[in-house]
Amino acid sequence: MKGAFILMIAGFFNRILGFALRLILVRIIGDEGLGLFQMVFPIFITFSILTTMGLPVAVAKFVSSEVSQQRKKNALKILKISLVIVFISSLVSISIFLIKAEFIALNLLKDERTHLILLTIAPALLFVSLSSVLRGFFQGLRVMTPIAFSQVIEQLVRMGVTLALVYKLMSSTLRDQILGVSIGVSVGEGFGLLALILIFVYYFSSFGSGDSKDKTESTFSLIKKLFKFGIPITIGKLVASLMYTLEAITIPSILQRVGYTVSEATSLYGQLSGMVLQLIYLPTIITIALNSNLVPAISESLAVNNKRAIKKHSQEALRLTFYLGFLSSLILFLLPREICDLFFNYPEAGTILRTLSILAIFLYISQIFAAILQGLGKPNSVVRNSVIGLIIELGIIYSVVYLPAYLAFIVISLAIGIRYTVIAILNYLSINKEVKLALPITHIFIKPILAGLLVILILPQSYQISFHIFSSNLISLVISTSLSSLFYFAFLFISGGISIDDLKRIKP
């Protein structure tokens, strides 16, 4: 849990920096500028997934297994092979990315302004891919500090470079301002990789000591094992990336078909992807941190056929996720306009936020279940369930052409939440085919739901009272969310949902 705590703190810090950057950018480039960048970003993510080929997760799993059996040389060989493969695939992907950038901009995104944006973000493919493998290595060792440190460095540099460039380009076109954002991504990822390399060189000197089993597997055998595990993960991530890419392409197009102009459609997509989804994803710092420990922990337990440990790790991760994710979803649902106004100065995005927050908890749960399945060596199940969720979402999105414009956009937003729900349910069913989790319903679900009733009663009223006194949205949100959260966790503590042992486990 210590490693998860470190990553959670780093993730929280990074999300705060990311939100601060987005808050500034939205006041400069507006929702249309955000929409323009968000159209490009899924393309970048798709190429980065193809480049890494699921190797970061495979490295984490197999390094964890090898180290637990005192085969450190084999663990290092896995890392070296993965770095070489990813380096070569990065060069190939960047070449294809650069050659096809104009085609992507004109034929897929249908906006020539995205051409140069695609070119300037291309170098980040190499940096992010190599960083992912190194982070997978440290994750397998369950040493989370290097991961956290590199992420903070990446975010700080990205923020500084982006703001400096956007400031200099304020008098330029919207496209040029977005170029500053994409260059910031590339430079930030480069410094994040540099930090990881320096840490690894320092750490490597003591890693090989005490290795009692010198025999290593053949290179071919390790490559086969890595790809056998990594390819299904790649397919699963490609499905998710394809989903975002299709959203970036189809949602603005569908909105135009139901009556919105090009500018209005781009702006609405900017509100959805660049504002609302960023708020929805904020609590995923919890699941990302927990997943970093969960995959190797379950993998180790599976290696010794300790199903009791698998259940324990899974239940603890799910409980913490539901407790914090449910509270976050309630806050976003109860004060959506106020939150969007505070962060982005776009209170009108609150309607979309309230719609998505209804089912947001299933996003957080589905990520935990996906990590459990990966730890159990069942990445194919994650892929299959993601594909089913994607098909259902796309079916709903394409059906809105028969609805009025305003209702169509609400249904599109709701379709994303339905995908979360479907994937979470299917992932749970897949887990239970391997291991019966036997979830304590009252302890994991009923107690936080009862605590949530206090939030529903306290949060809106305390916000209104605070705003009446201070006439400040920021102060009112801080007071109301803090007060309602205090009552929420107090109820969980009194009811036994949270114990002293829980606090000791997350203590750094």
Side-chain angles (χ1 to χ4, degrees), residues 102 174 202 251 280 366:
E102 186 174 7
L174 181 62
Y202 172 80
I251 290 179
I280 293 292
S366 68

Side-chain angles (χ1 to χ4, degrees), residues 17-34 37 158-159 162-167 174 177-178 180-182 275 343-344 346:
L17 288 179
F19 260 87
L21 176 60
R22 196 167 288 266
L23 186 149
I24 297 170
L25 288 177
V26 76
R27 285 163 172 77
I28 300 174
I29 63 178
D31 53 355
E32 185 177 359
L34 277 181
F37 180 73
R158 176 183 177 181
M159 185 175 186
T162 298
L163 290 178
L165 290 175
V166 172
Y167 176 77
L174 181 62
Q177 292 173 20
I178 304 300
V181 179
S182 59
M275 300 179 196
F343 284 118
F344 305 114
Y346 273 83

Side-chain angles (χ1 to χ4, degrees), residues 444-479:
I444 294 180
F445 302 112
I446 301 301
K447 289 179 181 179
I449 290 173
L450 292 176
L453 296 177
L454 293 176
V455 178
I456 294 173
L457 292 173
I458 295 170
L459 182 59
Q461 295 301 322
S462 58
Y463 177 86
Q464 293 298 329
I465 294 172
S466 300
F467 193 81
H468 179 73
I469 297 173
F470 299 103
S471 298
S472 168
N473 187 27
L474 173 60
I475 295 175
S476 301
L477 277 172
V478 170
I479 292 175

Side-chain angles (χ1 to χ4, degrees), residues 156-172:
L156 285 171
V157 172
R158 176 183 177 181
M159 185 175 186
V161 172
T162 298
L163 290 178
L165 290 175
V166 172
Y167 176 77
K168 285 187 172 294
L169 296 169
M170 283 185 66
S171 59
S172 300

Side-chain angles (χ1 to χ4, degrees), residues 270-460:
Q271 291 178 31
L272 173 62
S273 62
M275 300 179 196
V276 170
L277 284 177
Q278 301 307 311
L279 290 166
I280 293 292
Y281 292 150
L282 182 60
T284 59
I285 60 173
I286 304 163
T287 54
I288 292 171
L290 291 173
N291 289 354
S292 298
N293 266 354
L294 193 57
V295 173
I298 291 180
S299 179
E300 290 176 12
S301 300
L302 184 66
V304 295
N305 197 31
N306 189 345
K307 292 189 176 182
R308 183 177 179 181
I310 293 174
K311 292 179 183 179
K312 181 182 177 182
H313 290 310
S314 301
Q315 289 177 6
E316 286 184 354
L318 179 60
R319 180 166 60 91
L320 183 57
T321 298
F322 193 88
Y323 283 9
L324 297 178
F326 185 65
L327 173 62
S328 301
S329 300
L330 277 178
I331 293 172
L332 295 176
F333 177 80
L334 293 170
L335 297 176
R337 290 183 60 85
E338 294 80 1
I339 292 172
C340 288
D341 186 26
L342 174 66
F343 284 118
F344 305 114
N345 199 29
Y346 273 83
E348 57 268 33
T351 302
I352 314 170
L353 178 59
R354 172 165 281 171
T355 302
L356 259 177
S357 64
I358 296 172
L359 298 173
I361 185 63
F362 291 100
L363 164 64
Y364 317 136
I365 293 175
S366 68
Q367 291 179 336
I368 289 295
F369 286 158
I372 295 172
L373 285 170
Q374 288 174 355
L376 291 172
K378 298 294 179 181
N380 288 329
S381 298
V382 179
V383 175
R384 183 191 66 240
N385 298 339
S386 298
V387 169
I388 294 172
L390 173 61
I391 291 172
I392 291 174
E393 180 196 1
L394 290 177
I396 296 173
I397 289 177
Y398 279 102
S399 70
V400 303
V401 294
Y402 303 105
L403 300 175
Y406 173 78
L407 183 58
F409 189 57
I410 296 297
V411 173
I412 286 174
S413 303
L414 191 60
I416 298 173
I418 292 173
R419 169 171 49 85
Y420 301 154
T421 307
V422 171
I423 294 175
I425 294 171
L426 293 176
N427 282 348
Y428 174 73
L429 294 175
S430 297
I431 292 169
N432 272 280
K433 290 180 180 179
E434 306 299 324
V435 178
K436 299 295 182 182
L437 291 183
L439 299 176
I441 303 299
T442 299
H443 193 52
I444 294 180
F445 302 112
I446 301 301
K447 289 179 181 179
I449 290 173
L450 292 176
L453 296 177
L454 293 176
V455 178
I456 294 173
L457 292 173
I458 295 170
L459 182 59

Side-chain angles (χ1 to χ4, degrees), residues 36-228:
L36 192 62
F37 180 73
Q38 292 297 141
M39 289 168 65
V40 168
F41 202 66
I43 305 294
F44 169 78
I45 294 297
T46 300
F47 273 84
S48 67
I49 291 169
L50 289 170
T51 299
T52 56
M53 296 177 284
L55 291 180
V57 179
V59 168
K61 176 178 173 60
F62 293 122
V63 165
S64 173
S65 178
E66 295 297 331
V67 171
S68 68
Q69 299 175 64
Q70 291 298 308
R71 296 198 299 232
K72 294 182 179 179
K73 288 185 178 180
N74 224 32
L76 279 176
K77 191 171 183 179
I78 289 171
L79 173 64
K80 292 174 184 177
I81 291 172
S82 300
L83 285 173
V84 171
I85 293 173
V86 167
F87 180 77
I88 295 172
S89 65
S90 294
L91 297 182
V92 174
S93 293
I94 290 174
S95 300
I96 297 173
F97 197 79
L98 295 176
I99 293 171
K100 294 296 182 180
E102 186 174 7
F103 173 83
I104 294 170
L106 297 178
N107 295 280
L108 295 181
L109 301 179
K110 299 185 184 300
D111 194 324
E112 62 179 7
R113 294 176 296 178
T114 60
H115 180 206
L116 286 180
I117 300 172
L118 288 164
L119 295 178
T120 51
I121 205 173
L125 282 171
L126 174 63
F127 307 141
V128 74
S129 300
L130 293 176
S131 294
S132 297
V133 174
L134 286 172
R135 285 170 180 155
F137 175 73
F138 284 114
Q139 181 183 339
L141 299 178
R142 301 172 83 171
V143 179
M144 303 303 175
T145 303
I147 302 175
F149 179 75
S150 66
Q151 289 174 341
V152 171
I153 292 295
E154 183 270 324
Q155 188 65 262
L156 285 171
V157 172
R158 176 183 177 181
M159 185 175 186
V161 172
T162 298
L163 290 178
L165 290 175
V166 172
Y167 176 77
K168 285 187 172 294
L169 296 169
M170 283 185 66
S171 59
S172 300
T173 63
L174 181 62
R175 184 207 64 180
D176 291 342
Q177 292 173 20
I178 304 300
L179 288 179
V181 179
S182 59
I183 292 173
V185 172
S186 292
V187 177
E189 291 291 350
F191 273 83
L193 173 61
L194 179 61
L196 277 172
I197 291 173
L198 293 175
I199 294 171
F200 176 77
V201 170
Y202 172 80
Y203 185 81
F204 176 76
S205 60
S206 61
F207 176 74
S209 60
D211 195 352
S212 60
K213 298 182 181 179
D214 295 331
K215 186 178 180 181
T216 60
E217 291 184 50
S218 68
T219 299
F220 177 78
S221 175
L222 289 175
I223 291 175
K224 182 179 178 181
K225 184 164 67 174
L226 286 167
F227 279 121
K228 184 177 180 181

